[in-house]
């Protein structure tokens, strides 16, 4: 009876009622279609990753224009990033609850529509407080999308290839970030239909995001529905039905969510990765000021866009290289290979940050030195998520708890790292003497560029070093946690 009830409840969901109007056979044929040997579901999921990263890079790319439009200094702009990241972090566990109620394509679509609405609203905001409010809404949408997307990728690849899977989605996502950042930077100084270019960029990005969300909702298939298990009587079940069978004895969805939360929080590998992530995310959050820093040095919009595109290309390629190398290392050293790759990547952030912000002369004549440094920096410091964090999370919890572990990772890392952006602004203004009134709208300001670079350096070098150090306990705890999950999975399948 429980199984029949769960099936009935699934078929009565809004997503099912809406999708059946297309006709089951036609919809199923489109869902199972492959393009160049890749499933349509994975293609659309990667498109969602592209739009997610493009949306993240949109506002930092036009910080200078927003600063002028709303008379806001670096600390005010930092609070915008803080607001979005803090809300995103605190709301991330909601994604783990939603995937118990709905399938992941529906959850992804809900989050995408939410961030599309908020992006459009930022583009038409007339007051700084309105921008801050809609950035908070944007963080809520991303909180739903990112954990569900990560667990979707984890379920789509096997253990030995999961680093490559995360690397590919980071690669295409980074390309989206490049596109969003470059587009916004190039449009920022123009006028379109009597409207500032940065506002048009937000409206255009919102429209594309809503379209991708609709396609994900309609045509993406959750990989858990395609994985079947046969019991000892010869009867076959799909994996989602097995999860429903396990949930049938729970008093409610909230009880199941609480059980998943407690299970995730007890995993020591999760605790270690979250600890390093809290400090390891600080430099990446602080880097939202790089666009503003280059423009203060005196680079124009095109040169700034080119420099940050090189960095983004390096990060995109590096994330894939990190995933590939870690997959190979995990086969040679199953219990320590991924940790070694992560520590190497975190350590490389120290010399590159120092060289970029302190050694290179802060002048437009240093363009090619900046270019080379940013490219090499991106190639080496972007491994952690694809080489270690994402793949290791998938191996230390049961399949049904994967979205929850990614959600809680984002909750802790996102909420704490969100303080980095306002701290950069505060350090630059209060300690290093940044004065927004001294900035020339065209030529920038050498003095203010130096002050901002010192604030950036403070939030990059030390966190990178601590991140490298905090990975060390994984050499001991990862092996034990992974073996515990494998034994639990074997017992569960035997019981079934």
């Amino acid at each position: 009876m429980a199984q029949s009830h769960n099936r009935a409840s699934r078929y009565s969901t809004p997503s099912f009622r809406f999708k059946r109007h297309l006709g089951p056979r036609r919809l199923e044929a489109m869902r199972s279609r492959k393009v160049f040997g890749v499933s349509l579901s994975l293609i659309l999921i990667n498109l969602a990753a592209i739009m997610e990263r493009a949306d993240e890079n949109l506002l930092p790319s036009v910080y200078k224009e927003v600063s002028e439009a709303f008379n806001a200094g670096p600390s005010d702009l930092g609070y915008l990033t803080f607001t979005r990241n803090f809300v995103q972090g605190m709301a991330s566990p909601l994604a783990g609850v939603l995937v118990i109620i709905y399938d992941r394509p529906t959850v992804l679509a809900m989050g995408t529509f939410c961030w599309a609405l908020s992006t459009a609203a930022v583009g038409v905001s007339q007051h700084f407080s309105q921008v801050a409010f809609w950035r908070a809404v944007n963080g809520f949408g991303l909180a739903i999308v990112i954990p569900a997307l990560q667990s979707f990728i984890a379920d789509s690849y096997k253990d030995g290839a999961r680093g490559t899977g995360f690397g590919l989605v980071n690669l295409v996502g980074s390309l989206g970030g490049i596109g969003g950042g470059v587009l916004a930077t190039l449009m920022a100084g123009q006028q379109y239909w009597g409207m500032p270019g940065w506002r048009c960029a937000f409206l255009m990005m919102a429209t594309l995001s809503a379209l991708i969300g609709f396609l994900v909702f309609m045509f993406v298939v959750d990989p858990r529905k395609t994985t079947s298990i046969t019991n000892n009587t010869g009867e076959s079940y799909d994996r989602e039905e097995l999860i429903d069978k396990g949930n049938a004895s729970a008093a409610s969805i909230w009880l199941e969510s609480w059980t998943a939360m407690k299970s995730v929080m007890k995993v020591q590998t999760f605790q270690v990765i979250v600890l390093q992530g809290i400090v390891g995310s600080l430099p990446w959050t602080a880097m939202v000021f790089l666009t503003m820093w280059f423009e203060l040095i005196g680079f124009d919009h095109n040169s700034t866009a080119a420099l940050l595109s090189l960095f983004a290309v390096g990060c995109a390629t590096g994330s894939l290289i990190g995933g590939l190398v870690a997959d190979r290392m995990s086969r040679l050293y199953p219990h320590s290979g991924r940790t070694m790759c992560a520590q190497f990547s975190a350590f490389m952030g120290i010399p590159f940050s120092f060289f970029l912000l302190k050694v290179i002369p802060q002048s437009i004549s240093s363009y090619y030195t900046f270019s080379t440094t940013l490219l090499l920096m991106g190639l080496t410091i972007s491994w952690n998520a694809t080489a270690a964090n994402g793949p290791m999370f998938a191996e230390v919890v049961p399949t049904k708890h994967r979205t929850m572990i990614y959600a809680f990772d984002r909750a802790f890392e996102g909420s704490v790292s969100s303080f980095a952006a306002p701290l950069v602004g505060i350090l630059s203004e209060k300690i290093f003497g940044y004065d927004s009134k001294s900035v020339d709208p065209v030529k920038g300001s050498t003095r203010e560029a130096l002050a901002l670079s010192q604030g950036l350096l403070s939030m990059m070098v030390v966190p990178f070093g601590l991140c490298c150090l905090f990975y060390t306990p994984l050499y001991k705890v990862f092996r034990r946690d992974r073996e515990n999950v494998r034994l639990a999975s074997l017992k569960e399948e035997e019981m079934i």
Side-chain angles (χ1 to χ4, degrees), residues 41 50 59 63-64 84 132 139 143 184 242 272 291 314 324 329 339 346-347 381 398 414 431 436 438 456 462:
S41 291
I50 288 174
L59 183 62
Y63 263 174
K64 187 169 179 288
R84 192 204 67 181
L242 292 176
V272 172
T291 300
L324 291 168
M329 290 289 287
T339 305
F347 175 79
I381 70 171
I431 296 180
S436 57
S438 301
L456 280 167
V462 174

Side-chain angles (χ1 to χ4, degrees), residues 40-79:
L40 181 61
S41 291
L42 271 179
I43 291 174
L44 290 175
I45 285 296
N46 279 276
L47 285 175
I50 288 174
M51 298 309 301
E52 177 262 319
R53 197 69 63 85
D55 185 83
E56 282 189 352
N57 287 0
L58 200 56
L59 183 62
S61 299
V62 295
Y63 263 174
K64 187 169 179 288
E65 287 68 29
V66 173
S67 175
E68 295 168 0
F70 298 102
N71 193 27
S75 58
D76 296 319
L77 299 175
Y79 284 124

Side-chain angles (χ1 to χ4, degrees), residues 92-100 104 147-148 150-151 224 253-265 270 274 393 397-412:
S92 289
L94 180 62
V97 177
L98 289 175
V99 297
I100 298 175
R104 282 177 292 188
Q150 289 177 316
S151 67
R224 292 182 190 173
I253 290 173
W254 290 105
L255 180 59
E256 171 63 18
S257 302
W258 178 247
T259 302
M261 291 176 191
K262 290 194 296 182
S263 175
V264 165
M265 296 290 285
F270 167 77
V274 166
F393 277 149
V397 294
T399 302
K400 62 182 179 181
H401 292 166
R402 281 178 181 166
T403 301
M404 192 65 77
I405 196 170
Y406 291 115
F408 268 88
D409 173 57
R410 295 314 311 153
F412 286 106

Side-chain angles (χ1 to χ4, degrees), residues 153-181:
I153 295 299
D155 286 349
S156 300
Y157 294 87
K158 296 180 179 180
D159 289 352
R162 200 165 278 133
T164 303
F166 278 101
L168 285 171
V169 78
N170 270 273
L171 173 64
V172 298
S174 297
L175 294 176
I178 295 171

